[in-house]
Amino acid sequence: MSEPTSPSAVHDVETGAASAPPDAAASGAHTRAPWSPRSSGTPAFRPRTPGAARDRVRAAEPVSRPARDGAGRVLVTGGTGFIGSSLARRLRAQGRPVRVLSLVATPAERRNADALEAAGVEVVEGSVADRRLHPRALADVAVVHHVAAMMREADVPDRVFWDVNVGATQDLARASRENGVRRFVYCSTMGVTGEVRGRPVDETAPYHPNNIYARTKAAAEEWILGEARAGFAATAVRPADVYGPGDQRLVKLFRMIQKGRFVTLGDGRGRRHMIYIDDLLDGMLAAETEPRALGEAFLLAGPAPVALRDLTALIAGELGVRPPRLRLPYRPVWFAAAVVEAACRPFGVQPPIYPRRVDFFAHDYEFQTGKARSVLGFAPRVDVAEGVRRTIAAYREEGSLA
């Protein structure tokens, strides 16, 4: 929901795990992609209208060789982050052999890595952008869930987003095909279509990403689905705002509300369509096994959207405090954030506030999940009220909330 705040960091998983930039690795971490020459700028993403021709394409017969390991080992990239570690635990609980490829650079990542290893998960420490790790990570793997990504940061060059989110995805997919992986599930984002106001969004909406993170995720998704049309056994999922036990981003929002320090920018009427982590995992696992999912992209969202002011009131009620009352006008704060970001950029300093963070208060969107329901049998069960209750209970149990 909110954006990570670690300074001068590259995020290797969607939940904000920090790592060293890929350039810190030895040369040859991954191949140069045709759209990303390192000696020049980064390409502009050319949005296309997917329509039935792309999002409802019938995939060709997969050309990937059968996996060598009959046990069906699963690789989860970004596996020490929120989504990745939750998925790895679910898979392990099902009795499946699991390996994660992920950075272990923060206390939260270390805790997740230790818990996964205790559960019998093999942890390969490192960045997905380091191509040298791919052979080890993919050994005897039948299924790949590619969750790792460079998250939104204000002081990271655009080329790093292209290197990690697109170049590393291409390298991993090619290596997966070569190693006989039978299914590749790409974790994309709801942001590939940008913000569409006034109507619910489904998978036929055109690509219209509005920031570097979404542009690179859209480019990677389009490439993956193009490979699927050529026979690669791949599927893409587009999670809505993910929350639940283990999420270290939303805990900041909960703490501010508990302490009476949360300030709403604007009127708080903008809707957010969230998905509880357990429901997301159900959708991701269905995408892995459903034959009709090959070559398709699926939006995964919860039962219904919720206005920001209603969400904060729900959280306050569960915490036993008064709902947030402090408000500031949105637009002046956005312009001030733009000035601060511009002033910090020449010095390579992470600004305390920047436009993408302020945009949190302007979001207003709703997603249709009919395609996932029809094809995957996706049926989200946890509404926002129940999800908030479970999340607060988990935060209190781990000591993140009083």
Side-chain angles (χ1 to χ4, degrees):
M1 294 267 304
S2 58
E3 297 206 14
T5 58
S6 55
S8 303
V10 172
H11 295 271
D12 194 54
V13 293
E14 292 217 30
T15 51
S19 73
D23 288 349
S27 61
H30 57 264
T31 56
R32 179 186 297 179
W35 37 258
S36 183
R38 301 192 183 195
S39 60
S40 61
T42 54
F45 176 69
R46 297 179 178 85
R48 299 179 183 177
T49 302
R54 193 190 68 78
D55 274 304
R56 292 185 170 84
V57 64
R58 182 172 60 187
E61 286 297 317
V63 296
S64 302
R65 298 189 302 274
R68 301 182 185 90
D69 184 8
R73 185 178 302 278
V74 183
L75 172 67
V76 179
T77 69
T80 60
F82 170 44
I83 297 175
S85 63
S86 300
L87 177 60
R89 286 193 297 271
R90 171 78 73 88
L91 290 163
R92 196 70 194 97
Q94 294 176 345
R96 301 173 68 179
V98 182
R99 178 183 297 132
V100 302
L101 168 60
S102 188
L103 294 160
V104 183
T106 69
E109 291 169 350
R110 173 49 61 193
R111 288 193 298 271
N112 285 337
D114 290 346
L116 291 174
E117 289 182 325
V121 174
E122 179 186 355
V123 177
V124 177
E125 296 187 21
S127 171
V128 70
D130 187 349
R131 190 180 181 185
R132 297 167 302 177
L133 294 176
H134 291 180
R136 176 185 171 191
L138 289 167
D140 299 323
V141 163
V143 175
V144 173
H145 283 271
H146 181 32
V147 182
M150 169 69 193
M151 272 296 289
R152 288 157 281 200
E153 277 288 350
D155 61 342
V156 174
D158 285 3
R159 63 178 173 79
V160 179
F161 286 87
W162 288 98
D163 284 345
V164 176
N165 291 353
V166 186
T169 296
Q170 291 181 330
D171 288 340
L172 183 69
R174 293 183 183 115
S176 296
R177 180 163 47 196
E178 177 62 26
N179 281 270
V181 166
R182 69 167 184 257
R183 182 66 67 95
F184 189 100
V185 181
Y186 174 63
C187 188
S188 185
T189 174
M190 64 181 182
V192 297
T193 54
E195 189 162 343
V196 181
R197 295 177 179 269
R199 64 178 179 84
V201 177
D202 66 12
E203 293 85 353
T204 64
Y207 286 125
H208 193 64
N210 56 14
N211 59 61
I212 184 60
Y213 169 72
R215 283 195 294 274
T216 50
K217 294 291 283 185
E221 179 189 295
E222 187 174 39
W223 184 86
I224 286 289
L225 295 179
E227 292 297 296
R229 288 195 293 274
F232 183 42
T235 300
V237 295
R238 300 176 183 176
D241 279 335
V242 189
Y243 73 106
D247 178 22
Q248 296 302 305
R249 297 176 303 157
L250 263 185
V251 69
K252 302 170 189 176
L253 172 65
F254 283 65
R255 285 173 181 160
M256 292 176 71
I257 292 173
Q258 187 175 53
K259 295 176 181 179
R261 297 176 182 172
F262 183 79
V263 179
T264 301
L265 303 183
D267 59 17
R269 294 181 181 178
R271 298 164 302 163
R272 308 195 68 86
H273 208 155
M274 305 166 66
I275 183 168
Y276 189 71
I277 182 63
D278 291 352
D279 287 337
L280 173 64
L281 300 183
D282 289 345
M284 294 176 74
L285 292 177
E288 171 197 320
T289 57
E290 172 55 55
R292 293 175 297 165
L294 292 174
E296 302 285 345
F298 298 93
L299 276 164
L300 300 178
V306 59
L308 178 60
R309 62 184 181 184
D310 295 334
L311 173 62
T312 56
L314 259 175
I315 294 171
E318 287 297 322
L319 291 171
V321 299
R322 297 174 65 180
R325 295 187 176 183
L326 297 175
R327 291 186 182 180
L328 290 175
Y330 168 80
R331 195 165 297 278
V333 177
W334 190 95
F335 281 114
V339 171
V340 171
E341 181 181 43
C344 291
R345 185 177 294 115
F347 303 99
V349 175
Q350 174 78 7
I353 189 170
Y354 45 91
R356 288 199 299 275
R357 177 169 293 172
V358 177
D359 284 344
F360 170 84
F361 296 91
H363 290 314
D364 183 18
Y365 46 76
E366 177 181 357
F367 299 108
Q368 291 184 338
T369 58
K371 181 179 177 182
R373 292 173 184 270
S374 173
V375 177
L376 303 179
F378 175 66
R381 296 167 291 177
V382 182
D383 62 18
V384 174
E386 175 61 23
V388 165
R389 282 192 290 272
R390 296 185 190 183
T391 303
I392 288 175
Y395 284 157
R396 282 176 165 159
E397 183 176 354
E398 70 185 22
S400 297
L401 285 176

